[in-house]
Amino acid sequence: MTSVDRWQLPDGIEEVLPAQAATAERLRRRLLDLYRSWGYQLVIPPLMEFTESLLIGLGKDLDLLTFKLTDQLSGRSMGIRADITPQVARIDAHSMAQQGVTRLCYAGSTLHTRSKSLLASRSPIQLGAELYGDNSLAADVEVVRLMLTTLEVAGIGPSVTLDLGHVGVYQAVLASADLTGEQEQTVFDALQRKSIPDLQLALTGVDSGVAELIIGLVGLHGDDSVLANARELFADKAPDALAAVDALQEVATDIRRQRPDLDIYFDLAELRGYHYHTGIVFAAYVPGHGQALANGGRYDNVGAVFGRARPATGFATDLKALLQLVPAQADSRGAISMPDSDDAALAATVAELREAGEVVINCLSTAPDPRCDRELVEQGGAWQVLALSTH
């Protein structure tokens, strides 16, 4: 092994150096304070859990993203969390078990076996908020508004696009198709890619009217006109999809009351998280950043595997992804150099300065730390903060 091999990090794994780390911590604290001000209580789930609880409820994609190992104490399979959402669902359903609405938030490191995209980190710092116990569209709207406010507080915008979809559209359309399990998976994969040729091939032998309906989903993305087109398409052949379309319209209308200039993009073939989402799905995008900066949706009844089915909606973002769009900010106040001394009066003065938020650095040699622009000097029996002398 060469010296280069020793300091290299795995692909997609990165370290955060002082200036950016300070920015990350300030942003993390600011966002958690935001969630607290909305009534969301902080929880800190464990980094590892038994896979029986860690991987349940959110589909096979999470299983593939999770690093697994054997617990040396119990012999059971454990996983390093790749997503904090199922952990928070367990806390709501089992550890807290409260009646009524529960609002929880979190921030913590996760680990992925592979990157979700070419530019994504394999070790995201996931922040998010979850609302349990209310199945209304008002709850979905609250979570979407909090997601948008998260980006605003982070200093990202104002050119944010909200992407809205609803898994109920696909469910209703698919119900009319009577596909085999294999066909359904093939159609699902083709819809995710929005590939009409692959869809036509997958729907060979399916009733032409039903096939046309499914293929029609590919074009249902864009501005508000998409909803009108969807109503026309679904009116006779998939009327159950109309309730999902109406829900999208209501959510968009409610959000625009506070953000009339927000760009809203509807995508009725959006299948992200289809296997566990049960209603509205949403994501936030900004120009020049190909991946969603934050996303979420409704995922009712995930808590059933923990003994209590609960309505649930929430969102998550990656602090590292946010940092790519937020410049690192050095502390403009500088620091204060103090002599290396056991003087009691000096120690008391240093304690007061640090309590007031100042950075005071012990000078261990003749040269102070380069961050220092001031120094503590004894004058007239008292320690004073003066501009750093150049001698």
Side-chain angles (χ1 to χ4, degrees):
M1 178 179 290
T2 67
S3 60
V4 172
D5 294 325
R6 291 189 178 93
W7 61 255
Q8 279 187 331
L9 293 171
D11 289 343
I13 304 295
E14 58 284 309
E15 55 202 0
V16 184
L17 299 181
Q20 195 173 35
T23 303
E25 179 56 22
R26 283 193 293 269
L27 181 55
R28 185 194 70 88
R29 184 66 265 161
R30 196 178 307 139
L31 293 177
L32 289 179
D33 287 344
L34 167 69
Y35 303 156
R36 178 181 177 275
S37 74
W38 283 51
Y40 288 76
Q41 299 173 289
L42 178 65
V43 293
I44 306 177
L47 181 63
M48 299 174 64
E49 289 195 40
F50 293 123
T51 52
E52 290 94 326
S53 61
L54 189 65
L55 301 182
I56 208 147
L58 294 191
K60 66 178 182 180
D61 290 345
L62 183 60
D63 188 14
L64 295 174
L65 281 176
T66 302
F67 278 97
K68 304 178 187 72
L69 64 159
T70 301
D71 179 20
Q72 297 299 308
L73 296 181
S74 66
R76 295 169 62 186
S77 174
M78 297 184 71
I80 301 173
R81 65 188 182 197
D83 189 332
I84 300 178
T85 303
Q87 295 184 293
V88 181
R90 174 185 55 74
I91 288 173
D92 168 71
H94 178 71
S95 302
M96 296 182 66
Q98 295 177 346
Q99 298 301 315
V101 174
T102 301
R103 292 175 171 87
L104 301 175
C105 65
Y106 57 87
S109 294
T110 58
L111 186 63
H112 296 168
T113 55
R114 65 189 193 285
S115 298
K116 286 186 174 182
S117 66
L118 289 176
L119 299 179
S121 171
R122 292 171 63 201
S123 56
I125 302 174
Q126 186 178 332
L127 282 84
E130 315 292 334
L131 192 158
Y132 301 98
D134 191 301
N135 62 2
S136 68
L137 288 179
D140 293 314
V141 170
E142 176 180 317
V143 170
V144 172
R145 284 175 172 160
L146 183 55
M147 179 184 74
L148 294 172
T149 305
T150 292
L151 300 185
E152 187 178 306
V153 168
I156 295 170
S159 299
V160 174
T161 297
L162 174 63
D163 188 293
L164 284 179
H166 196 302
V167 299
V169 171
Y170 179 65
Q171 289 170 342
V173 169
L174 206 65
S176 66
D178 193 27
L179 302 178
T180 66
E182 184 178 348
Q183 281 180 308
E184 182 177 338
Q185 185 59 50
T186 305
V187 167
F188 178 85
D189 293 340
L191 268 177
Q192 284 189 304
R193 300 192 307 274
K194 291 183 168 56
S195 171
I196 291 179
D198 287 344
L199 273 175
Q200 291 171 331
L201 184 62
L203 293 168
T204 301
V206 175
D207 177 81
S208 60
V210 173
E212 182 182 350
L213 187 65
I214 294 174
I215 293 171
L217 288 174
V218 174
L220 291 177
H221 58 89
D223 60 20
D224 291 61
S225 64
V226 166
L227 301 185
N229 294 338
R231 289 190 179 96
E232 183 178 346
L233 180 64
F234 301 146
D236 297 325
K237 298 178 181 178
D240 289 346
L242 296 178
V245 176
D246 291 342
L248 286 170
Q249 182 68 74
E250 184 175 340
V251 167
T253 299
D254 285 352
I255 291 170
R256 281 177 171 143
R257 288 195 183 100
Q258 291 186 6
R259 297 175 180 270
D261 297 326
L262 178 66
D263 183 15
I264 297 181
Y265 185 91
F266 298 95
D267 188 348
L268 303 197
E270 173 54 65
L271 300 176
R272 181 185 60 253
Y274 168 75
H275 296 296
Y276 62 90
H277 278 137
T278 59
I280 295 283
V281 291
F282 45 85
Y285 294 86
V286 295
H289 194 85
Q291 300 298 313
L293 277 182
N295 57 63
R298 178 159 290 279
Y299 59 105
D300 293 345
N301 303 322
V302 168
V305 296
F306 304 115
R308 204 164 67 116
R310 295 262 280 170
T313 182
F315 80 93
T317 185
D318 174 17
L319 183 62
K320 288 183 177 179
L322 297 183
L323 287 177
Q324 294 177 17
L325 303 176
V326 177
Q329 298 175 347
D331 194 334
S332 60
R333 293 179 301 175
I336 301 169
S337 179
M338 61 171 283
D340 186 23
S341 170
D342 290 331
D343 183 90
L346 173 63
T349 301
V350 168
E352 290 177 2
L353 289 168
R354 287 173 173 163
E355 181 67 24
E358 294 283 2
V359 175
V360 184
I361 303 175
N362 194 21
C363 184
L364 298 174
S365 64
T366 55
D369 187 284
R371 290 169 289 172
C372 294
D373 57 0
R374 291 157 292 161
E375 63 181 336
L376 277 164
V377 178
E378 188 176 22
Q379 289 186 344
W383 289 93
Q384 307 288 335
V385 178
L386 303 177
L388 189 65
S389 62
T390 56
H391 59 75

